[in-house]
Amino acid sequence: MSALRFLALLAVLLATARAGSAARADIVGGRKARRQQFPFLVSLQNQGRHVCGGALVHPLFVLTVASCFQSRNPGIVTVVLGAYDLRRQESSRQRFSVRSISENGYDPQENLNDLLLLQLDREANLTSDVALVPLPPQNATVEPGTSCQVAGWGSRRRGGRLSRFPRVVNVTVTPPDRCRPNNICTRVFTRRGGVCEGDRGTPLVCNGLAHGVASFTLGPCGRGPDFFTRVALFRDWIDSVLNTPSQEHWPEGPPTEPMGGL
């Protein structure tokens, strides 16, 4: 990447980060996922409305992104597992409150280290609708050109309604010179496709492992590139949190501004 192009990319990244909730991400150009196809998907909800995604990585912990909580207390969020049809009351669902949160040096100005672990108030009951997603080892890489999947309840276009069912799209990992070292970037090259409003925090699954979590996107929804926090850089830290659950409860408090999607 040339110096001028790199500086231009950095300028856009900074503008995107400062935009906060205005920088959004949903599944664009995808297809309806099958029931139980992604049993690790998490719907983070505020007053019954889906606002961000996440992934169940331990019976007590959900992996998502810190940027979901820039302007809202995580203590008021409901963590919903086993959801599929957001417009129905499903017997498969399990609901939890957030007991505590753990972050690792999140920088909101540049959207760096955009990762968060939510500890649930009790252990999830693992079923065919609620399962764990495996994580990559520390410092593992994903080769450019790798085909991955991302799924979520985001809308199909900016400003559109959230999807009733999770939708999934196949994406391709871009070369490192079109991304940042702490991120994995993806695009859909043959048509419009990718993430947009409502899917921040949803996992990027490559070769069966959650290699990324959706952080932000550049350009219009579905045009990309889409930036995912690189989970493998934080695996040792994630394991340290999972192995030492907190005994303290996250205090609930009044909401400030609406929680941002991507």
Side-chain angles (χ1 to χ4, degrees):
M1 178 183 292
S2 68
L4 286 177
R5 186 178 177 187
F6 180 72
L7 289 174
L9 175 60
L10 280 181
V12 176
L13 294 177
L14 289 172
T16 302
R18 295 187 184 111
S21 62
R24 303 181 179 277
D26 297 305
I27 299 301
V28 176
R31 62 193 180 277
K32 181 180 175 182
R34 302 185 307 274
R35 185 179 289 275
Q36 299 178 351
Q37 185 178 359
F38 300 98
F40 47 80
L41 276 186
V42 174
S43 174
L44 301 181
Q45 300 186 0
N46 178 29
Q47 298 180 342
R49 178 177 172 79
H50 173 86
V51 289
C52 281
L56 189 67
V57 297
H58 181 281
L60 264 179
F61 288 92
V62 165
L63 183 66
T64 184
V65 286
S67 51
C68 278
F69 300 95
Q70 288 187 74
S71 58
R72 185 174 293 277
N73 188 328
I76 70 168
V77 173
T78 299
V79 179
V80 181
L81 310 181
Y84 182 68
D85 184 346
L86 292 185
R87 299 183 193 173
R88 297 184 59 186
Q89 296 297 322
E90 302 164 305
S91 59
S92 60
R93 293 191 191 187
Q94 300 176 38
R95 293 177 173 81
F96 303 83
S97 60
V98 176
R99 183 183 185 104
S100 66
I101 66 169
S102 299
E103 61 91 25
N104 190 10
Y106 171 54
D107 179 353
Q109 295 302 312
E110 297 191 25
N111 263 10
L112 292 174
N113 306 326
D114 190 10
L115 204 71
L116 195 72
L117 281 167
L118 306 178
Q119 182 179 332
L120 307 179
D121 62 326
R122 65 190 188 282
E123 285 198 1
N125 179 29
L126 301 183
T127 67
S128 57
D129 295 286
V130 176
L132 309 180
V133 64
L135 302 178
Q138 180 70 26
N139 296 326
T141 59
V142 184
E143 291 298 316
T146 300
S147 179
C148 304
Q149 288 187 317
V150 59
W153 286 274
S155 64
R156 303 185 207 182
R157 63 184 184 276
R158 185 174 296 278
R161 297 179 61 183
L162 293 174
S163 177
R164 176 174 180 173
F165 304 99
R167 297 181 65 80
V168 55
V169 65
N170 294 330
V171 297
T172 301
V173 176
T174 64
D177 63 352
R178 300 181 186 178
C179 194
R180 300 192 300 178
N182 287 3
N183 293 103
I184 296 175
C185 293
T186 66
R187 296 194 73 165
V188 176
F189 289 99
T190 57
R191 55 183 168 80
R192 286 192 65 200
V195 293
C196 194
E197 297 176 3
D199 286 329
R200 178 172 276 173
T202 202
L204 175 72
V205 180
C206 309
N207 302 318
L209 305 177
H211 272 276
V213 284
S215 179
F216 63 97
T217 186
L218 297 181
C221 294
R223 298 296 185 187
D226 299 329
F227 286 70
F228 295 80
T229 301
R230 188 179 158 199
V231 172
L233 295 180
F234 302 89
R235 180 59 193 271
D236 288 346
W237 171 77
I238 290 171
D239 287 344
S240 71
V241 175
L242 302 187
N243 292 330
T244 55
S246 172
Q247 301 304 312
E248 297 181 1
H249 284 274
W250 183 264
E252 293 192 9
T256 52
E257 301 175 4
M259 194 184 288
L262 214 85

